[in-house]
Amino acid sequence: MSLSKPPGRPEDLAIHERAIPQPSSNEVLIRVAAAGLNRTDVIQRGGRANLPEGASDILGLEVSGTIAQLGSDVSGISVGDEVVALTDSGGYAEYVAVPAGQVAPVPPGLDLLDAAGIPEVAATVVLNVMLNGSYQEGETVLVHGGTGGIGAFTIQLVKALGGTVFATAGSAGKCARVRSWGADAAINYHEEEFDQRVQDLGRADIILDTVAGSYLQRNLNALKPGGRMITIGKQGGASDTLDFSMLMKKKLTLFGSLLRNRTTEEKARIMEETTRIVWPLLEDGKIQTTTDRVFALSEVVATHAYFDSGQHIGKVLLDCRS
C-alpha cells in the first residue's frame, strides 16, 4: 500500500496499491513503521516540488522501520535492524527503498514510532545551523516558526550545544511551548516586531529562516555584524528588496539551502555528521522528540488537513502499519 497524489488539496490525496520496490545495489529496503510530515510534502502535494531524478512520486521524506532486504553492495547493516532514514521520496508507504548512506540506526532509547520524526529535521538543522551557519558554542540563533518540527529541534540542539536561541511563534500558547523547550526568548510575531525585539536582546549570530520574502530586511536588521542568515523556506514569498549597503557594512552572509535536491553522496555525508552530533544528545536526553499527533496511513487526508491548519506543535507522524 502506498500513497500518490494528483496536485491539490488534502482531499485529493489517495491510497493506491503498488508493487514493493526493489532496492538497487547500494540501497536497502525498509519495512516502514512510520513517516514524518514535512512542509516539502505539502509543496509536493501542490505539484510545486522538483523531485530528484528517479525519485518516487509518493510523498514522504523521513521514515523509521525495519530493514527487510539489502542491495548486493551494502554492508554494515543487517536484515531486521531497526533504522531511521532520510528518503528522496516514497516514505508514505509500507515499504521504501533508500540509499544505504541515508540510513542510520534508531537512536538508543527512542520508540520506533517517535523516531520517524528525527531524520529530516535533524539533518536539516545540522546542515544549515552547524555546517552552512558555522555555529560556534556560545552564539545566538534566531529560528522562525519555533513550534514546527524544525523550530523545536533547532531550539533543543542549540541549547544542548551551549548557545542562546530566540524563536518566533504565532500565539501566547505557542510561545509558552517554545520556552518549555529551552528558548531564551519567545517572540509572538502577531504582537511585536521580531527584529526590534531581537535587536533589544542583542541581535543574533545566525538566523534560520523559513519565511523569506517580507522577512528579508527585518532579518538583516536582527543580525549582528558578521552574522549569517540561512533561508530554507519561502512561506512569506519568493522575493523582496535587499539593502546591499547594510549587507556590506555589517559583513553579513546569506545562504539559500535545500536538502532534498542534494546528491546521494552529499546526503550520506550530512547523515553521517547528523548521527555523530545528534545521536549522543538524543541518547542522553538532551534532545527530546516532539511528536504532536500520530495518524494512521489510511487517515492521510485528515493528517494533511491538520498539518495545513497550523495547529500542530512539534511533529506530525503517519503510522504506516495501520
Side-chain angles (χ1 to χ4, degrees):
M1 179 169 60
S2 62
L3 183 145
S4 63
K5 55 111 196 104
R9 305 159 299 174
E11 53 266 37
D12 293 324
L13 295 164
I15 299 283
H16 300 281
E17 294 286 341
R18 291 195 182 178
I20 295 174
Q22 293 303 300
S24 66
S25 60
N26 67 339
E27 291 182 329
V28 299
L29 182 68
I30 298 173
R31 182 166 188 172
V32 179
L37 265 71
N38 292 279
R39 179 76 42 195
T40 301
D41 299 337
V42 175
I43 295 170
Q44 183 177 340
R45 188 191 78 209
R48 303 187 305 279
N50 294 320
L51 286 172
E53 185 177 355
S56 169
D57 63 340
I58 299 169
L59 279 66
L61 296 177
E62 60 182 348
V63 300
S64 63
T66 305
I67 298 293
Q69 186 179 338
L70 304 177
S72 59
D73 294 338
V74 175
S75 61
I77 306 176
S78 300
V79 171
D81 286 353
E82 291 189 341
V83 297
V84 296
L86 181 68
T87 70
D88 296 331
S89 198
Y92 293 14
E94 292 180 315
Y95 291 90
V96 63
V98 184
Q102 294 168 211
V103 175
V106 171
L110 254 64
D111 176 83
L112 189 60
L113 188 64
D114 285 333
I118 293 294
E120 175 74 13
V121 293
T124 297
V125 176
V126 167
L127 168 63
N128 292 297
V129 175
M130 306 299 297
L131 303 180
N132 290 338
S134 301
Y135 168 82
Q136 299 295 315
E137 184 177 355
E139 288 191 317
T140 298
V141 177
L142 167 65
V143 59
H144 292 302
T147 54
I150 296 292
F153 198 90
T154 301
I155 292 165
Q156 294 188 79
L157 180 63
V158 172
K159 294 304 296 181
L161 296 177
T164 298
V165 60
F166 308 146
T168 62
S171 70
K174 288 186 174 183
C175 284
R177 182 60 65 91
V178 301
R179 284 191 292 267
S180 76
W181 291 328
D184 296 278
I187 304 165
N188 186 336
Y189 56 79
H190 289 307
E191 296 182 351
E192 54 187 330
E193 299 295 333
F194 79 83
D195 54 332
Q196 185 58 58
R197 177 74 184 285
V198 174
Q199 288 178 77
D200 293 343
L201 292 166
R203 293 190 169 90
D205 298 285
I206 298 170
I207 296 177
L208 186 59
D209 174 37
T210 57
V211 182
S214 60
Y215 271 28
L216 175 58
Q217 187 59 49
R218 295 164 68 189
N219 279 330
L220 300 187
N221 296 340
L223 281 170
K224 295 179 182 179
R228 292 86 74 195
M229 183 178 82
I230 303 95
T231 297
I232 62 172
K234 50 185 177 64
Q235 296 178 50
S239 63
D240 198 14
T241 301
L242 174 64
D243 181 351
F244 281 97
S245 61
M246 178 181 288
L247 186 74
M248 294 184 290
K249 288 177 181 177
K250 293 176 71 173
K251 299 180 289 294
L252 304 177
T253 302
L254 309 185
F255 287 92
S257 179
L258 293 173
L259 178 59
R260 187 180 205 178
N261 67 347
R262 293 174 184 268
T263 66
T264 299
E265 293 74 20
E266 287 178 304
K267 289 179 182 177
R269 288 194 293 272
I270 293 164
M271 279 299 290
E272 182 178 9
E273 191 70 1
T274 299
T275 303
R276 182 186 70 81
I277 294 171
V278 172
W279 266 226
L281 299 173
L282 287 164
E283 185 174 3
D284 292 345
K286 294 179 180 178
I287 295 177
Q288 305 282 338
T289 56
T290 57
T291 302
D292 176 273
R293 283 185 65 177
V294 180
F295 293 80
L297 181 57
S298 59
E299 299 174 308
V300 68
V301 171
T303 309
H304 270 248
Y306 177 66
F307 190 91
D308 286 0
S309 75
Q311 297 177 53
H312 62 285
I313 296 178
K315 289 293 293 188
V316 178
L317 304 178
L318 282 168
D319 187 336
C320 297
R321 301 166 298 189
S322 59

